[in-house]
């Protein structure tokens, strides 16, 4: 399994970004996909998850209404659209295959060294 995030950047408050996560080595169309973020010096925070057929999407409260998760199973790619960005959204954003529940990810100190996790893409929200 390989997951590769991209799209992170420096953006001003109120701005937008689209993060992408390209997957290979798994049956993507049957996999739940999850986005998790990590602020420097802190543990992981679950952000969003999407079911294999996109029928179900979940968001943590702080991003609901601002972020949108989507996927293209033909391209083996999951996206995270970030709108109305705030300084507190500054973090490294990781994608991972599977969905283990928010509490699981929120208890992780760091991303596991696992092929089921990407290397992350950095989002910095600053004026």
């Amino acid at each position: 399994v390989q997951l590769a995030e991209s799209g992170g950047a420096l953006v001003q408050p109120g701005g937008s970004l689209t993060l992408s996560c390209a997957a290979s080595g798994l049956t993507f169309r049957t996999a739940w996909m999850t986005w998790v973020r990590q602020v420097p010096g802190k543990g992981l925070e679950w952000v969003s998850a999407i079911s294999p057929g996109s029928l179900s999407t979940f968001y943590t409260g702080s991003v609901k209404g601002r972020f949108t998760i989507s996927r293209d199973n033909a391209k083996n790619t999951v996206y995270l659209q970030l709108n109305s960005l705030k300084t507190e959204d500054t973090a490294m954003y990781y994608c991972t295959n599977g969905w283990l529940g928010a509490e699981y990810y929120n208890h992780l100190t760091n991303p596991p060294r696992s092929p089921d996790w990407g290397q992350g893409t950095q989002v910095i929200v600053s004026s």
Side-chain angles (χ1 to χ4, degrees):
V1 176
Q2 283 192 325
L3 300 172
E5 303 94 336
S6 61
L10 170 63
V11 62
Q12 292 186 341
S16 298
L17 280 176
T18 300
L19 307 183
S20 301
C21 173
S24 61
L26 74 160
T27 306
F28 184 80
R29 67 181 184 276
T30 65
W32 280 78
M33 296 299 295
T34 295
W35 285 96
V36 181
R37 65 186 180 185
Q38 185 174 31
V39 174
K42 295 189 176 181
L44 298 184
E45 178 188 23
W46 169 72
V47 176
S48 184
I50 187 168
S51 63
S54 303
L55 290 179
S56 297
T57 57
F58 304 113
Y59 300 92
T60 192
S62 63
V63 308
K64 199 171 293 185
R66 300 189 298 120
F67 291 8
T68 302
I69 192 171
S70 63
R71 64 192 295 160
D72 186 337
N73 287 348
K75 295 183 179 179
N76 284 7
T77 301
V78 60
Y79 305 96
L80 188 67
Q81 174 71 38
L82 288 62
N83 295 327
S84 303
L85 281 161
K86 304 176 180 180
T87 55
E88 52 263 43
D89 295 318
T90 294
M92 184 72 80
Y93 284 73
Y94 299 92
C95 71
T96 178
N97 61 297
W99 164 237
L100 300 175
E103 189 172 347
Y104 169 79
Y105 301 103
N106 291 342
H107 275 85
L108 294 176
T109 302
N110 289 296
R113 293 184 179 272
S114 164
D116 293 321
W117 287 73
Q119 294 301 306
T121 186
Q122 182 72 54
V123 173
I124 300 174
V125 184
S126 175
S127 55

